[in-house]
Amino acid sequence: RKVAMYWMLRIVQAHMSSAFPTNSDQKGKEKSVAKQASVKYLTAASTSVRNALPHVLPGILVSIGDTHQSRAKDAFLPDQTTHTLAEQANTCLQDAVKRDGKSFIPHLGGFVVALREELDSPGGLIARNPPSVERRPYRMDVKPDGSGIESTGWFRASDGVEERDNALILSRLCALQWVVVLYEHVVPDSLKAEYASEFIDCIIYQLVDQPPGIIVVKSFEVLAKITVPAKGQENHSIFSTLLTSGDRGAPEASSMNNPMDNESANFALGILEPSRRRLVSRDRAVFAALIDLHSKNEKLLMDVSKVIELMCTLQPPEFIFIAFATELENFIVTKMQQRKKILESPETDASAIKEELAAFTKDLAFVSNFAQQLGLVFFAAPETEQLRVEMKDCIGFKGDSLRDEQRACLFHIILYTFSHSIVATLSFCLWGGAFLTASSFLQKIDPLDISLMFYLELDRLIDLIERPIFRHLHLRLLECEDDPYQEGSGAMLFRTLKSILMVLPQSTSYMILKERLSSTARFRQSAVALRGLSKHVEKGSKTDIFVKRLVKTRKLHCDAKWRNIRAESLEDPSRLISEKQKLRAAQQRREWLGYADEEDEIATKEKMKKEMLREGTGKAEMVGVYEGLEEIQSQSLQMGRKGEDDNNCETCIDAEAGEEDRKGQWREYWASHQ
């Protein structure tokens, strides 16, 4: 391999370097004129070398990762290694491509095939062509020349685990560098989008093997470069309105109910400065690939926050959060359509329905975990500081300016994703000043959402509220506004925290929040005056839209949980039909207990109540059991007191009268609990 790379370097330097021979003898002209002359009078050999570059590139990628150092001094070029020779050849080729990129356009397809061959395979080209290793004997008494070996197998190749890792890193980094060089100097502007799409999936799916951090950083740097539209190609982007026309009016009112469209995204991203808008990608293909990858590999979810932080350093965090929010919504919509298609198909059997319900529940859990990671990055990462500044009190103290409308639209888009995680929703509402939204949502929380993980996340929320980042909320609790029912009022904040306190079990977090609210309540003297809150949420207002989205999303999660529970039982799993035909827990309970309908249940309960209150033989069985126990007690008391005086007898009579009163109380108790 070293010999081959040496001759490849000699050939490349002779025909592709800036000093290769030309037929131009003109001297003293400008450098650009000399380059044009050299290109014009290329020899046939130089043209052949240039045409063979796509076939030479795989050998360079393999050899550049060959860092093996022999223990013995090599007689052939002892001061150089295969790695150094490959680096020199690679540098020479890249200089030639940068100098005369248009000449390599016909060979672009060959370059793409060679680079994808390196990036697609788990171990790259190194996996099929391992680096040079020195063979070592098993036994020390075997001579270096091989004498004394009785059978084959005495020599073996060294394990080379560390060498293979280093080779993979160097080869992969070289391939990623070539992707950028070709994109910037060879690919025409009209083909840049198609060229970028060739490498998005293969670069993203490297994360499955959990590569070293240097490869992850370089990969996302490459993606950030090749997905940004070139100058003059802004019209080919889904954010063309943002990149070409700049600021514009707010979207139509119909977009407020569902802001997950390109029009709302363009309007929300108008908050960016013109220089930062140029860093926005032409589409969201990278984000869709990331979501698809993490949905199929749960082990990668633990590190997704680091990936999001890295992406926020390369592109505006506002764009990162909007893109993830939109693609997560598209992911859920696609899964819902798939579920609906399967459940409505008459050919689908019960086992297929159970599998689909379980898969949909798993997909919702993935989206919820992803939303939690987004929330963690939003509040904790220094890369999102500018986004936190923009979102702070964007709803509570919203004005009428265009920028305020853009901030509110950005809040709405992010809230759409955070609604898949209750604690992320509450945290984001508290940060944005949407206290009325958070309070109204807590009044409608579903019991199926209350779980151990929910309590653990609430503990983290209380810990976050007590940190300096939420210090402004502590002072907001003391404010008394003219209208206590507006979004950013201190009264609504107090009511939200009080609702969280009522949901919490009595624990350390409960006591911490209780102490803060107790000290504040003594000062406010108005905490109990909040009645009829639902009457103050106007229909069609932003608060009403926010609350409806949160309730709808949580209803989707709870419905999936309930259907999954039903699917695991002995009953046939329910299909998705119309809203009126959906199964309800109360209706199923009546059917299980044998009631025909709700009227039959009410009539039966009334009948049982009358029978239990009636004296005589028609007593209910449960009352009879307790009466029997009391009669045994009274008989034992009478037998133990047969020799006592008359006063004691009178006491017994009074006790029996009290027992009779308690019998009536028992009857009323059991009758009221039927």
Side-chain angles (χ1 to χ4, degrees):
R1 184 177 294 177
K2 184 176 180 181
V3 175
M5 187 50 58
Y6 168 75
W7 283 109
M8 183 181 294
L9 174 61
R10 292 290 301 272
I11 294 172
V12 168
Q13 287 178 340
H15 295 278
M16 302 302 298
S17 68
S18 58
F20 63 82
T22 65
N23 294 333
S24 176
D25 295 332
Q26 298 179 356
K27 296 182 180 181
K29 292 188 176 183
E30 294 181 359
K31 188 177 180 181
S32 59
V33 176
K35 288 182 180 179
Q36 292 176 2
S38 65
V39 172
K40 183 176 181 180
Y41 299 104
L42 281 177
T43 63
S46 299
T47 304
S48 299
V49 172
R50 186 176 63 189
N51 295 342
L53 282 186
H55 307 286
V56 173
L57 186 58
I60 293 178
L61 294 177
V62 172
S63 299
I64 208 168
D66 196 344
T67 58
H68 170 71
Q69 293 285 348
S70 176
R71 292 193 299 269
K73 197 74 172 179
D74 197 344
F76 179 73
L77 297 177
D79 297 331
Q80 291 183 321
T81 62
T82 307
H83 169 72
T84 57
L85 294 172
E87 275 192 333
Q88 296 176 34
N90 181 65
T91 303
C92 184
L93 288 178
Q94 288 190 359
D95 290 341
V97 170
K98 294 177 182 178
R99 183 176 60 251
D100 191 21
K102 293 183 178 179
S103 301
F104 295 91
I105 293 178
H107 312 293
L108 189 57
F111 280 114
V112 172
V113 172
L115 293 175
R116 289 202 58 169
E117 190 177 8
E118 165 65 30
L119 297 173
D120 271 337
S121 54
L125 296 169
I126 295 295
R128 286 177 288 175
N129 302 280
S132 303
V133 293
E134 192 168 351
R135 299 172 67 86
R136 292 183 292 182
Y138 275 114
R139 294 172 50 182
M140 298 303 295
D141 57 346
V142 178
K143 298 179 181 180
D145 60 355
S147 60
I149 300 178
E150 299 177 357
S151 61
T152 58
W154 283 102
F155 282 86
R156 63 169 180 173
S158 60
D159 295 335
V161 176
E162 184 177 355
E163 292 180 357
R164 286 176 181 252
D165 291 342
N166 294 334
L168 172 64
I169 293 175
L170 295 174
S171 300
R172 197 63 51 96
L173 291 177
C174 182
L176 292 171
Q177 186 181 10
W178 267 103
V179 172
V180 177
V181 170
L182 294 173
Y183 180 81
E184 293 179 345
H185 299 92
V186 179
V187 182
D189 291 342
S190 59
L191 297 178
K192 285 187 181 295
E194 184 179 354
Y195 174 83
S197 63
E198 292 286 340
F199 292 100
I200 289 177
D201 288 339
C202 61
I203 292 178
I204 289 296
Y205 275 82
Q206 294 180 100
L207 299 176
V208 176
D209 301 320
Q210 296 181 333
I214 186 174
I215 292 183
V216 176
V217 174
K218 184 64 176 178
S219 298
F220 281 98
E221 288 178 353
V222 171
L223 289 174
K225 288 183 179 180
I226 66 177
T227 56
V228 174
K231 190 174 182 179
Q233 296 294 316
E234 291 86 355
N235 291 328
H236 297 280
S237 171
I238 60 175
F239 302 106
S240 57
T241 307
L242 171 71
L243 299 175
T244 55
S245 61
D247 295 335
R248 60 190 184 88
E252 299 179 359
S254 58
S255 298
M256 282 300 300
N257 293 325
N258 186 8
M260 312 306 287
D261 54 14
N262 293 333
E263 182 184 3
S264 298
N266 276 285
F267 176 71
L269 289 176
I271 200 174
L272 298 176
E273 300 174 357
S275 59
R276 299 178 69 204
R277 294 179 188 178
R278 297 297 174 185
L279 301 176
V280 174
S281 301
R282 66 174 62 87
D283 53 31
R284 297 184 294 267
V286 173
F287 303 90
L290 276 171
I291 291 173
D292 182 69
L293 172 68
H294 287 84
S295 66
K296 298 175 181 176
N297 299 271
E298 296 180 357
K299 63 179 182 179
L300 300 179
L301 269 178
M302 300 300 296
D303 298 326
V304 71
S305 59
K306 299 178 182 178
V307 173
I308 298 173
E309 292 176 12
L310 175 60
M311 297 177 73
C312 289
T313 61
L314 302 172
Q315 293 180 291
E318 294 86 349
F319 167 70
I320 299 298
F321 274 74
I322 286 179
F324 272 125
T326 306
E327 290 304 322
L328 282 173
E329 183 66 17
N330 292 339
F331 176 81
I332 286 295
V333 170
T334 302
K335 296 298 181 181
M336 290 178 62
Q337 292 174 350
Q338 178 181 344
R339 182 183 70 157
K340 182 178 180 181
K341 182 178 180 181
I342 292 177
L343 296 181
E344 290 182 349
S345 176
E347 300 177 356
T348 308
D349 56 2
S351 60
I353 294 178
K354 290 183 178 181
E355 292 178 1
E356 177 59 28
L357 294 177
F360 186 71
T361 304
K362 184 178 179 181
D363 292 332
L364 285 178
F366 157 72
V367 175
S368 179
N369 291 333
F370 206 102
Q372 291 177 16
Q373 297 295 325
L374 283 172
L376 180 63
V377 174
F378 179 85
F379 286 105
E383 293 80 4
T384 57
E385 182 179 2
Q386 182 64 30
L387 178 60
R388 288 197 296 270
V389 172
E390 294 292 346
M391 290 293 96
K392 187 175 181 179
D393 292 328
C394 62
I395 300 298
F397 292 94
K398 179 181 174 297
D400 298 328
S401 65
L402 178 62
R403 187 172 183 83
D404 290 329
E405 293 292 340
Q406 291 170 340
R407 294 171 65 200
C409 185
L410 179 58
F411 175 88
H412 195 181
I413 294 174
I414 298 178
L415 183 67
Y416 235 71
T417 296
F418 281 4
S419 61
H420 292 281
S421 173
I422 299 179
V423 176
T425 298
L426 296 176
S427 305
F428 192 58
C429 287
L430 292 175
W431 184 259
F435 308 140
L436 179 58
T437 299
S439 176
S440 302
F441 165 65
L442 284 172
Q443 307 303 317
K444 302 178 181 181
I445 193 169
D446 196 292
L448 282 175
D449 277 328
I450 308 298
S451 61
L452 177 60
M453 291 304 300
F454 171 71
Y455 287 136
L456 295 177
E457 292 172 13
L458 276 184
D459 288 343
R460 296 177 185 175
L461 174 60
I462 302 304
D463 179 67
L464 183 65
I465 292 175
E466 292 299 320
R467 292 186 179 183
I469 191 175
F470 275 105
R471 190 69 67 201
H472 63 287
L473 294 185
H474 303 166
L475 301 177
R476 189 79 54 80
L477 285 169
L478 304 178
E479 297 180 3
C480 298
E481 295 81 1
D482 295 335
D483 184 8
Y485 299 102
Q486 61 184 357
E487 277 284 11
S489 68
M492 285 298 102
L493 174 60
F494 185 88
R495 194 176 197 276
T496 301
L497 296 179
K498 186 175 66 174
S499 300
I500 295 176
L501 181 68
M502 294 297 101
V503 175
L504 276 172
Q506 296 197 18
S507 58
T508 304
S509 299
Y510 176 89
M511 297 305 299
I512 292 174
L513 188 57
K514 176 186 175 184
E515 288 297 325
R516 181 170 296 281
L517 294 180
S518 299
S519 59
T520 308
R522 296 189 185 97
F523 175 82
R524 292 189 61 88
Q525 296 294 323
S526 60
V528 297
L530 299 172
R531 298 179 181 177
L533 176 62
S534 58
K535 299 179 181 178
H536 293 267
V537 179
E538 299 180 0
K539 291 186 177 180
S541 63
K542 289 187 176 180
T543 300
D544 185 48
I545 294 174
F546 294 159
V547 173
K548 285 182 178 179
R549 166 61 187 178
L550 298 178
V551 173
K552 180 181 178 181
T553 304
R554 299 319 308 171
K555 184 178 179 181
L556 177 66
H557 282 257
C558 294
D559 180 71
K561 289 180 183 178
W562 174 244
R563 290 181 179 277
N564 195 33
I565 293 173
R566 289 284 310 275
E568 294 176 357
S569 66
L570 297 179
E571 298 183 2
D572 292 334
S574 59
R575 298 174 179 266
L576 276 182
I577 318 176
S578 62
E579 288 291 335
K580 296 182 180 180
Q581 295 174 328
K582 284 188 175 181
L583 298 174
R584 297 181 178 180
Q587 179 181 354
Q588 287 295 299
R589 176 177 170 273
R590 283 193 293 269
E591 294 179 359
W592 292 337
L593 294 176
Y595 300 120
D597 49 24
E598 187 176 359
E599 296 180 356
D600 184 28
E601 181 181 6
I602 296 174
T604 305
K605 286 183 177 181
E606 289 292 333
K607 183 178 179 181
M608 292 176 63
K609 184 176 181 180
K610 292 179 181 179
E611 290 179 352
M612 295 179 69
L613 293 175
R614 184 175 25 178
E615 294 289 340
T617 58
K619 298 178 187 177
E621 181 181 356
M622 188 61 70
V623 178
V625 171
Y626 278 97
E627 287 179 346
L629 292 175
E630 291 163 358
E631 289 174 0
I632 294 174
Q633 272 189 341
S634 62
Q635 291 177 4
S636 61
L637 287 173
Q638 291 176 3
M639 292 176 63
R641 297 176 180 175
K642 276 187 177 180
E644 296 184 358
D645 53 6
D646 295 339
N647 294 331
N648 291 338
C649 292
E650 293 177 0
T651 304
C652 293
I653 295 173
D654 294 337
E656 291 178 359
E659 296 292 340
E660 291 294 331
D661 294 338
R662 281 192 289 273
K663 290 179 184 178
Q665 294 177 0
W666 275 111
R667 298 190 192 98
E668 294 179 359
Y669 173 80
W670 288 109
S672 62
H673 283 72
Q674 291 297 320

